[in-house]
Amino acid sequence: MPGFELFGEQEKKEVLEVLDTGVLMRYGFDGMRNNQWKAKELEVALIKRMNVKHAQLVSSGTAALTVALASARIGKGDEVIMPTFTFVASFEAILALGAIPVLVDVDDTLTLSPAAVEKAITNKTKAVMPVHMCGSMADLKSLKAICNTHKLLLLEDACQAIGGTYEGKPLGSYGDLGCFSFDFVKTITSGEGGAVITNNENYAINADNYSDHGHDHIGKDRGAEQHTLLGYNFRISELHAAVGIAQLRKLDDFIAIQQKRYTILQNALATIPEITFRRVPDTGVENYSFLSFYLPSEELAKKVNKALKDGGIDVCFYWFDNNWHYYRKWNHLKALQESGDLPAYSFSDFSLSDTYVSRNISCLIKLGWTEEEMKLRAEKMVAIVKEVLA
Ligand SMILES: *Cc1c(COP(=O)(O)O)cnc(C)c1O
């Protein structure tokens, strides 16, 4: 990660095909477009790669989450369970629909704790939204069992874990709906963009309509199309989709590179007895975009994080103090609660999350690093960590 590191001729070729026709919009203009349907083509490729029945491209990952929730008719007053460790897009999408984000602890997987989810369910709960952070997944089997028991929607945010699997299924395809982001720093990028995948035809039609002002996309005259529901504009452009086509083709190569580099780093860090690794649920296979590990205490994690930075090791993240990814710094969301616009239980005791996130450091695995560079980097990291621990 990220996909922009290996951007090249294939992406240019796809974009030029769009520019040659001048049709930058994904719908209509059949006569002008010389049979170029890049968004359609990328949706078909996603359907194939993710082994699902339907895919809907949209303008971003945040849009994908919003469209996915809307497609299942989640709305005003409905409670959606989401993790304390995620990206702000999780609650932005929920709030955009007038629904209520209910924050729930993460465990040693750095994703939703199934036990904590179960405790948070009320008679208003409609959906559970696990976020597969930093390349690895939530315990989907347990979450699905909980969702089945309580008749809740399981919506996977796979924006950071595209290409990983669980029980042999692509992440995003296990739940009722799955979402991807193709923003500029994701494993594959289209500049901006996102996708919703599902096996549910009803959700697929709603997603298609909702993301384009409610257009039913039936017939050849856009102006004469019907509006089946109230929607918005979350369309992707043909230019973005064109880049996405070339990047999706490279996804498996990217993951193979990331796995090799990740393994070098993990083997090196595993020689330090005080270091433990993030738990990957049984049957899960990561996409290896990050290596996440734990130090024995918050204090040591902070020291190691600082020492790594001072030692010139970039792209390692200490999420506990991050403004965008961890609940502690979401003052703008907390303000909603303080003003009475969000129920008080949205911020309760998250000591379980703190136990893990305060001790965690996640290191990005860059596609551009050679094996030699990764080995040197790993050696340097081991030396720095050992010095802090000594
Ligand atoms: C990037 C990201 C999103 C949002 O994607 P955008 O395309 O940037 O809107 C949502 N969830 C997670 C976990 C992400 O990492």
Side-chain angles (χ1 to χ4, degrees), residues 60-63 65 86-87 89-90 131 133 157 159-160 181-183 186 192-193 325:
S60 71
T62 311
L65 294 169
T86 175
F87 177 53
S90 301
V131 183
M133 285 299 280
D157 178 341
C159 291
Q160 291 194 10
S181 162
F182 307 128
D183 82 21
K186 294 303 200 282
E192 299 284 358
H325 292 281

Side-chain angles (χ1 to χ4, degrees), residues 7 14-15 38 48 75 105 118 123 140 149 186 204 207 233 241 255 266 278 323 374-375 389:
F7 186 93
E14 295 291 337
V15 171
K38 295 299 184 190
K48 193 159 171 248
D105 268 324
E118 196 128 41
N123 58 7
L140 286 168
T149 304
K186 294 303 200 282
N233 178 1
I255 291 171
Q266 187 173 41
R278 167 213 203 143
N323 290 342
M374 188 75 243
K375 280 184 184 157
L389 293 173

Side-chain angles (χ1 to χ4, degrees), residues 134 265 269 290-293 301 304-310 312-319 322 360-366 369 374 377 381 384-385:
C134 304
L265 183 58
L269 291 174
F290 287 85
L291 177 69
S292 297
F293 56 93
V304 166
N305 181 54
K306 183 170 184 306
L308 288 172
K309 283 213 164 55
D310 294 346
I313 299 291
D314 58 352
V315 297
C316 285
F317 298 89
Y318 183 63
W319 304 118
N322 185 288
N360 167 255
I361 294 175
S362 296
C363 293
L364 185 70
I365 305 293
K366 281 199 162 183
W369 291 332
M374 188 75 243
R377 198 179 156 87
M381 283 177 69
I384 290 171
V385 175

Side-chain angles (χ1 to χ4, degrees), residues 82-209:
M82 57 163 275
T84 51
F85 176 48
T86 175
F87 177 53
V88 289
S90 301
F91 60 77
E92 289 169 351
I94 297 165
L95 289 169
L97 294 165
I100 300 164
V102 176
L103 269 56
V104 164
D105 268 324
V106 296
D107 60 20
D108 56 343
T109 65
L110 293 175
T111 64
L112 272 183
S113 151
V117 167
E118 196 128 41
K119 276 192 216 140
I121 293 170
T122 72
N123 58 7
K124 287 189 186 160
T125 310
K126 288 283 158 59
V128 178
M129 202 161 92
V131 183
H132 306 317
M133 285 299 280
C134 304
S136 183
M137 76 296 309
D139 178 351
L140 286 168
K141 188 177 177 186
S142 303
L143 292 176
K144 193 168 205 162
I146 292 167
C147 287
N148 287 346
T149 304
H150 298 272
K151 299 201 164 43
L152 307 175
L153 187 85
L154 181 60
L155 194 170
E156 292 174 71
D157 178 341
C159 291
Q160 291 194 10
I162 190 167
T165 63
Y166 183 82
E167 288 181 0
K169 295 188 174 111
L171 293 177
S173 73
Y174 191 91
D176 300 291
L177 289 146
C179 293
F180 300 117
S181 162
F182 307 128
D183 82 21
F184 198 53
V185 294
K186 294 303 200 282
T187 303
I188 56 171
T189 182
S190 60
E192 299 284 358
V196 180
I197 59 171
T198 184
N199 286 309
N200 181 305
E201 190 182 3
N202 205 10
Y203 298 162
I205 293 170
N206 287 345
D208 170 273
N209 294 185

Side-chain angles (χ1 to χ4, degrees), residues 249-305:
R249 264 189 228 127
K250 299 177 178 177
L251 174 61
D252 293 321
D253 293 340
F254 287 180
I255 291 171
I257 296 170
Q258 287 176 175
Q259 182 177 7
K260 282 191 203 143
R261 304 291 177 267
Y262 173 111
T263 306
I264 292 169
L265 183 58
Q266 187 173 41
N267 289 342
L269 291 174
T271 61
I272 302 172
E274 291 90 342
I275 283 188
T276 52
F277 295 96
R278 167 213 203 143
R279 179 168 65 85
V280 178
D282 280 348
T283 80
V285 179
E286 299 175 68
N287 84 349
Y288 307 102
S289 50
F290 287 85
L291 177 69
S292 297
F293 56 93
Y294 298 113
L295 276 304
S297 68
E298 175 182 336
E299 193 197 342
L300 282 171
K302 282 183 172 155
K303 278 189 183 155
V304 166
N305 181 54

